[in-house]
Amino acid sequence: AILRQHITYLLSVNKHVLVNGVTGVGKSAAIAYVLNDVLKSEDPTAVWQSCGMSFSAQTSSVNLQEFMEANLTKKKNTLLGAAPGKRCIILVDDANMPEPEKYGASPPLELLRQMLQRGASPNGESEGGFFDRKKKDIYKDVR
């Protein structure tokens, strides 16, 4: 119950939420409760929309970026975000699963960090985002 209250409060004040813990303590169940019962994200008339992705050992940064681009609304040429009049929650489950590369980095986690980091764009003004994979000089803000 306390975890659900914390998640709800942090979302209400526009904060990113990272929930971690050992296997089997109910993290996913608490988040599902908040999304479905508190925020009513499945209701088309609700203010919140949600989408979720479970990472696996084979998850790549390309998979994550394609998922984000498919589930966020294109607001401008270089701006992605929630649908008009909505707020968006993106759930990433099992973030510890992607296999680290040869040098120990995990590209999906690096891309996720970049999308969450304020001032991550080349001009230092965005909420976070990523570069277009086809047009390398285009940075897409995620808000």
Side-chain angles (χ1 to χ4, degrees), residues 52-101:
M53 177 179 187
S54 289
F55 279 7
S56 71
Q58 288 76 38
T59 301
S60 69
S61 61
V62 173
N63 300 137
L64 175 60
Q65 186 166 341
E66 288 173 350
F67 170 80
M68 298 300 270
E69 289 177 339
N71 286 285
L72 294 172
T73 302
K74 188 174 184 179
K75 295 182 170 189
K76 292 182 183 175
N77 192 31
T78 60
L79 179 62
L80 302 171
K86 299 265 188 183
R87 294 179 67 192
C88 186
I89 297 173
I90 299 168
L91 171 66
V92 177
D93 202 7
D94 294 328
N96 63 322
M97 291 299 290
E99 189 71 31
E101 62 181 17

Coordinates of all heavy atoms in Angstrom, one line a residue, residues 52-101:
G52 N 3.6 -0.4 -21.9 CA 4.6 -1.1 -21.2 C 5.5 -2.0 -22.1 O 5.0 -2.5 -23.1
M53 N 6.7 -2.1 -21.7 CA 7.6 -3.0 -22.4 C 8.4 -3.8 -21.4 O 8.9 -3.2 -20.4 CB 8.6 -2.1 -23.3 CG 9.7 -2.9 -24.0 SD 10.7 -1.8 -25.0 CE 11.7 -3.0 -25.8
S54 N 8.6 -5.1 -21.6 CA 9.4 -5.9 -20.8 C 10.7 -6.2 -21.5 O 10.7 -6.6 -22.6 CB 8.7 -7.3 -20.5 OG 7.6 -7.1 -19.6
F55 N 11.8 -5.8 -20.8 CA 13.1 -6.1 -21.4 C 13.4 -7.6 -21.2 O 13.0 -8.3 -20.3 CB 14.2 -5.3 -20.6 CG 14.3 -3.8 -21.0 CD1 13.4 -3.3 -21.9 CD2 15.3 -3.1 -20.5 CE1 13.5 -1.9 -22.3 CE2 15.5 -1.7 -20.9 CZ 14.6 -1.2 -21.8
S56 N 14.3 -8.1 -22.2 CA 14.8 -9.4 -22.1 C 16.3 -9.3 -22.4 O 16.8 -8.3 -22.6 CB 14.1 -10.3 -23.1 OG 14.5 -9.9 -24.4
A57 N 16.9 -10.5 -22.4 CA 18.4 -10.5 -22.6 C 18.7 -10.0 -24.1 O 19.8 -9.5 -24.3 CB 19.0 -11.9 -22.4
Q58 N 17.7 -10.2 -24.9 CA 17.9 -9.8 -26.3 C 17.4 -8.4 -26.7 O 17.5 -7.9 -27.8 CB 17.2 -10.8 -27.3 CG 17.9 -12.1 -27.3 CD 17.6 -13.0 -26.1 OE1 16.5 -12.9 -25.6 NE2 18.6 -13.7 -25.7
T59 N 16.9 -7.6 -25.7 CA 16.4 -6.3 -26.0 C 17.6 -5.4 -26.4 O 18.6 -5.3 -25.8 CB 15.7 -5.7 -24.7 OG1 14.6 -6.5 -24.4 CG2 15.2 -4.3 -25.0
S60 N 17.3 -4.7 -27.5 CA 18.4 -3.7 -28.0 C 17.9 -2.3 -27.9 O 16.7 -2.1 -27.7 CB 18.7 -4.1 -29.5 OG 17.6 -3.7 -30.3
S61 N 18.8 -1.4 -28.1 CA 18.4 0.0 -28.0 C 17.4 0.3 -29.2 O 16.5 1.2 -29.1 CB 19.6 1.0 -28.0 OG 20.4 0.7 -29.2
V62 N 17.6 -0.4 -30.3 CA 16.7 -0.2 -31.5 C 15.3 -0.6 -31.1 O 14.3 0.1 -31.4 CB 17.2 -1.0 -32.7 CG1 16.2 -1.0 -33.8 CG2 18.6 -0.5 -33.1
N63 N 15.2 -1.8 -30.4 CA 13.8 -2.2 -29.9 C 13.2 -1.2 -29.1 O 12.0 -0.9 -29.3 CB 13.9 -3.5 -29.1 CG 14.5 -4.7 -29.9 OD1 15.3 -5.4 -29.3 ND2 14.1 -4.9 -31.1
L64 N 13.9 -0.6 -28.1 CA 13.4 0.4 -27.2 C 13.0 1.6 -28.0 O 11.9 2.2 -27.8 CB 14.4 0.7 -26.1 CG 14.0 1.8 -25.2 CD1 12.7 1.5 -24.4 CD2 15.1 2.1 -24.2
Q65 N 13.8 2.1 -28.9 CA 13.5 3.3 -29.6 C 12.3 3.1 -30.5 O 11.4 4.0 -30.6 CB 14.7 3.8 -30.4 CG 14.4 5.1 -31.1 CD 15.7 5.8 -31.6 OE1 16.8 5.4 -31.2 NE2 15.6 6.7 -32.5
E66 N 12.2 2.0 -31.2 CA 11.0 1.7 -32.0 C 9.7 1.6 -31.2 O 8.7 2.1 -31.6 CB 11.2 0.4 -32.8 CG 12.2 0.5 -33.9 CD 12.6 -0.8 -34.6 OE1 12.2 -1.9 -34.1 OE2 13.3 -0.7 -35.6
F67 N 9.8 1.0 -30.0 CA 8.7 1.0 -29.1 C 8.2 2.4 -28.7 O 7.0 2.7 -28.7 CB 9.1 0.1 -27.8 CG 8.0 0.2 -26.7 CD1 6.9 -0.6 -26.8 CD2 8.2 1.0 -25.7 CE1 6.0 -0.5 -25.8 CE2 7.3 1.1 -24.7 CZ 6.2 0.3 -24.7
M68 N 9.2 3.2 -28.3 CA 8.9 4.6 -27.9 C 8.2 5.3 -29.0 O 7.2 6.0 -28.9 CB 10.1 5.3 -27.4 CG 10.7 4.7 -26.2 SD 9.7 4.6 -24.8 CE 10.0 6.2 -24.1
E69 N 8.8 5.3 -30.2 CA 8.3 6.0 -31.3 C 6.9 5.5 -31.7 O 6.0 6.3 -32.2 CB 9.2 5.9 -32.5 CG 10.5 6.7 -32.3 CD 11.5 6.6 -33.4 OE1 11.4 5.6 -34.2 OE2 12.3 7.5 -33.5
A70 N 6.6 4.2 -31.5 CA 5.3 3.6 -31.9 C 4.2 4.0 -30.9 O 3.1 4.1 -31.2 CB 5.4 2.1 -32.0
N71 N 4.6 4.2 -29.6 CA 3.6 4.4 -28.6 C 3.5 5.9 -28.1 O 2.6 6.2 -27.4 CB 4.0 3.6 -27.3 CG 3.7 2.2 -27.5 OD1 2.5 1.8 -27.5 ND2 4.7 1.4 -27.8
L72 N 4.3 6.8 -28.6 CA 4.2 8.2 -28.3 C 3.6 8.9 -29.6 O 3.8 8.4 -30.7 CB 5.6 8.8 -28.0 CG 6.2 8.3 -26.6 CD1 7.6 8.8 -26.5 CD2 5.3 8.7 -25.5
T73 N 3.0 10.0 -29.3 CA 2.4 10.8 -30.4 C 3.4 11.8 -30.9 O 4.1 12.5 -30.2 CB 1.1 11.5 -29.9 OG1 0.2 10.5 -29.4 CG2 0.5 12.3 -31.0
K74 N 3.5 11.9 -32.3 CA 4.3 12.9 -32.9 C 3.6 14.2 -32.8 O 2.6 14.4 -33.4 CB 4.6 12.5 -34.3 CG 5.7 13.3 -35.0 CD 6.0 12.8 -36.4 CE 7.1 13.5 -37.0 NZ 7.4 13.0 -38.3
K75 N 4.2 15.1 -32.0 CA 3.6 16.4 -31.8 C 4.1 17.5 -32.8 O 3.4 18.3 -33.3 CB 3.8 16.9 -30.4 CG 3.2 16.1 -29.3 CD 3.4 16.7 -28.0 CE 2.6 16.0 -26.9 NZ 2.6 16.6 -25.6
K76 N 5.4 17.4 -33.1 CA 6.0 18.2 -34.1 C 7.0 17.3 -34.8 O 7.2 16.1 -34.4 CB 6.8 19.4 -33.5 CG 5.9 20.4 -32.9 CD 6.8 21.6 -32.3 CE 5.9 22.6 -31.6 NZ 6.7 23.6 -31.0
N77 N 7.8 17.8 -35.7 CA 8.7 17.0 -36.5 C 9.7 16.3 -35.6 O 10.1 15.2 -35.8 CB 9.4 17.8 -37.5 CG 10.2 17.0 -38.5 OD1 9.9 15.8 -38.8 ND2 11.3 17.5 -39.0
T78 N 10.2 17.0 -34.5 CA 11.2 16.5 -33.6 C 10.7 16.4 -32.2 O 11.5 16.4 -31.3 CB 12.5 17.3 -33.7 OG1 12.1 18.7 -33.3 CG2 13.1 17.3 -35.1
L79 N 9.4 16.3 -32.0 CA 8.9 16.3 -30.6 C 7.9 15.1 -30.5 O 6.9 15.1 -31.2 CB 8.2 17.6 -30.3 CG 7.5 17.7 -28.9 CD1 8.6 17.5 -27.8 CD2 6.8 19.0 -28.7
L80 N 8.1 14.2 -29.5 CA 7.2 13.1 -29.2 C 6.7 13.3 -27.8 O 7.4 13.8 -26.9 CB 8.0 11.8 -29.3 CG 8.6 11.5 -30.6 CD1 9.5 10.2 -30.5 CD2 7.6 11.2 -31.7
G81 N 5.4 12.8 -27.6 CA 4.9 12.9 -26.2 C 3.5 12.2 -26.2 O 3.2 11.5 -27.1
A82 N 2.8 12.5 -25.1 CA 1.5 11.9 -24.9 C 0.5 12.5 -25.9 O 0.7 13.6 -26.5 CB 1.0 12.2 -23.5
A83 N -0.6 11.8 -26.2 CA -1.6 12.3 -27.0 C -2.2 13.6 -26.5 O -2.1 13.9 -25.3 CB -2.7 11.3 -27.1
P84 N -2.7 14.5 -27.3 CA -3.3 15.7 -26.9 C -4.3 15.6 -25.7 O -5.1 14.7 -25.7 CB -4.0 16.3 -28.1 CG -3.3 15.7 -29.2 CD -2.9 14.3 -28.8
G85 N -4.1 16.4 -24.6 CA -4.9 16.3 -23.5 C -4.6 15.1 -22.5 O -5.4 14.9 -21.6
K86 N -3.6 14.4 -22.8 CA -3.2 13.2 -22.0 C -1.8 13.4 -21.3 O -1.1 14.2 -21.8 CB -3.2 12.0 -22.8 CG -4.5 11.6 -23.5 CD -5.2 10.6 -22.7 CE -6.4 10.1 -23.4 NZ -7.2 9.2 -22.6
R87 N -1.6 12.6 -20.3 CA -0.3 12.5 -19.7 C 0.1 11.0 -19.9 O -0.7 10.1 -19.9 CB -0.3 12.8 -18.3 CG -0.6 14.3 -18.1 CD -0.7 14.7 -16.6 NE 0.6 14.6 -16.0 CZ 0.8 14.7 -14.7 NH1 -0.2 14.9 -13.9 NH2 2.0 14.6 -14.2
C88 N 1.4 10.7 -20.1 CA 1.8 9.4 -20.5 C 2.7 8.7 -19.5 O 3.6 9.4 -18.9 CB 2.6 9.5 -21.8 SG 3.0 7.8 -22.5
I89 N 2.4 7.5 -19.2 CA 3.3 6.7 -18.4 C 3.9 5.5 -19.2 O 3.1 4.8 -19.9 CB 2.5 6.1 -17.2 CG1 2.0 7.2 -16.3 CG2 3.4 5.1 -16.4 CD1 1.0 6.7 -15.2
I90 N 5.2 5.4 -19.2 CA 5.8 4.3 -19.9 C 6.4 3.4 -18.9 O 7.3 3.8 -18.1 CB 6.9 4.8 -20.9 CG1 6.2 5.7 -21.9 CG2 7.6 3.7 -21.5 CD1 7.1 6.6 -22.7
L91 N 6.0 2.1 -18.9 CA 6.4 1.1 -17.9 C 7.5 0.3 -18.6 O 7.3 -0.3 -19.7 CB 5.3 0.3 -17.5 CG 5.6 -1.0 -16.6 CD1 6.2 -0.5 -15.3 CD2 4.4 -1.8 -16.4
V92 N 8.7 0.2 -18.0 CA 9.7 -0.7 -18.5 C 9.9 -1.7 -17.4 O 10.4 -1.4 -16.3 CB 11.0 0.0 -18.8 CG1 12.1 -0.9 -19.2 CG2 10.8 1.1 -19.9
D93 N 9.6 -3.0 -17.7 CA 9.7 -4.0 -16.7 C 11.0 -4.8 -17.0 O 11.4 -5.0 -18.1 CB 8.5 -5.0 -16.7 CG 8.3 -5.7 -15.5 OD1 9.0 -5.5 -14.5 OD2 7.4 -6.6 -15.5
D94 N 11.6 -5.4 -15.9 CA 12.8 -6.2 -16.0 C 14.0 -5.4 -16.7 O 14.6 -5.9 -17.6 CB 12.6 -7.5 -16.8 CG 11.6 -8.4 -16.0 OD1 11.7 -8.4 -14.8 OD2 10.9 -9.1 -16.7
A95 N 14.2 -4.2 -16.2 CA 15.2 -3.3 -16.8 C 16.6 -3.9 -16.6 O 17.6 -3.5 -17.3 CB 15.2 -1.9 -16.2
N96 N 16.8 -4.8 -15.7 CA 18.1 -5.4 -15.5 C 18.4 -6.6 -16.5 O 19.5 -7.1 -16.5 CB 18.2 -6.0 -14.1 CG 17.2 -7.1 -13.9 OD1 16.0 -7.1 -14.4 ND2 17.5 -8.1 -13.1
M97 N 17.5 -6.9 -17.4 CA 17.7 -8.1 -18.2 C 18.6 -7.9 -19.4 O 19.2 -8.9 -19.8 CB 16.3 -8.6 -18.7 CG 15.5 -9.2 -17.6 SD 16.2 -10.6 -16.9 CE 16.1 -11.8 -18.2
P98 N 18.7 -6.7 -20.1 CA 19.5 -6.7 -21.3 C 20.9 -7.1 -21.1 O 21.5 -6.7 -20.1 CB 19.4 -5.2 -21.8 CG 18.2 -4.7 -21.2 CD 18.0 -5.5 -19.9
E99 N 21.4 -7.9 -22.0 CA 22.8 -8.5 -21.9 C 23.8 -7.4 -22.1 O 23.7 -6.7 -23.1 CB 22.9 -9.6 -23.0 CG 24.2 -10.4 -22.8 CD 24.2 -11.3 -21.7 OE1 23.2 -11.8 -21.3 OE2 25.3 -11.5 -21.1
P100 N 24.7 -7.1 -21.2 CA 25.7 -6.1 -21.4 C 26.6 -6.5 -22.6 O 26.8 -7.7 -22.9 CB 26.6 -6.1 -20.1 CG 25.7 -6.8 -19.1 CD 24.8 -7.8 -19.9
E101 N 27.1 -5.5 -23.3 CA 28.0 -5.7 -24.4 C 29.4 -6.0 -23.9 O 29.7 -6.1 -22.7 CB 28.0 -4.5 -25.4 CG 28.5 -3.3 -24.8 CD 28.4 -2.1 -25.7 OE1 27.7 -2.1 -26.7 OE2 29.1 -1.1 -25.4

